[in-house]
Amino acid sequence: QVQLQESGPGLVNVSQTLSLTCTVSGASITTDLHYWNWIRQPPGKGLEWMGVINYDGDTYYSPSLKSRTSISRDTSKNQFTLHLSSVTPEDTAVYYCQQRTGAIWGSWGQGTQVTVSS
């Protein structure tokens, strides 16, 4: 069973870069057809897909966040990391990492609350 765990700061100041890491166990992030997503949920709103890194290291981002978002990976640690620059209070949300195999949505991390302080 694939397990994911988010880690990172719970509080970030406006204009800083938020970095969150997802540590994966139970599967390698380089396994064929595995896709590793970042998804967030602002308070009182629905889920928002932010971006994905696939088994080959290719990345794809939401058009609305593309200019501020990057996802990297460390295969030696079986981790992938979200970087979101120039944060504003509107980036306050619960951030989740999530695994997909092909078209099948799989495991989620428990989520981590990030608050952007002005």
Side-chain angles (χ1 to χ4, degrees), residues 66-108:
K66 186 175 182 179
S67 64
R68 299 195 292 129
T69 306
S70 66
I71 300 174
S72 60
R73 68 179 185 174
D74 185 336
T75 57
S76 68
K77 296 181 180 179
N78 215 37
Q79 295 175 333
F80 61 105
T81 298
L82 169 73
H83 306 279
L84 181 64
S85 64
S86 304
V87 297
T88 72
E90 285 67 41
D91 294 310
T92 294
V94 178
Y95 286 75
Y96 299 92
C97 55
Q98 192 275 336
Q99 178 266 336
R100 177 168 60 89
T101 304
I104 301 173
W105 291 80
S107 301
W108 292 67

Side-chain angles (χ1 to χ4, degrees), residues 9-22:
L11 183 65
V12 184
N13 292 325
V14 167
S15 80
Q16 289 187 335
T17 295
L18 166 67
S19 293
L20 295 173
T21 294
C22 184

Side-chain angles (χ1 to χ4, degrees), residues 3-7 94-97 107-113:
Q3 294 184 318
L4 302 93
Q5 178 66 58
E6 305 92 349
S7 60
V94 178
Y95 286 75
Y96 299 92
C97 55
S107 301
W108 292 67
Q110 65 182 21
T112 186
Q113 172 70 48

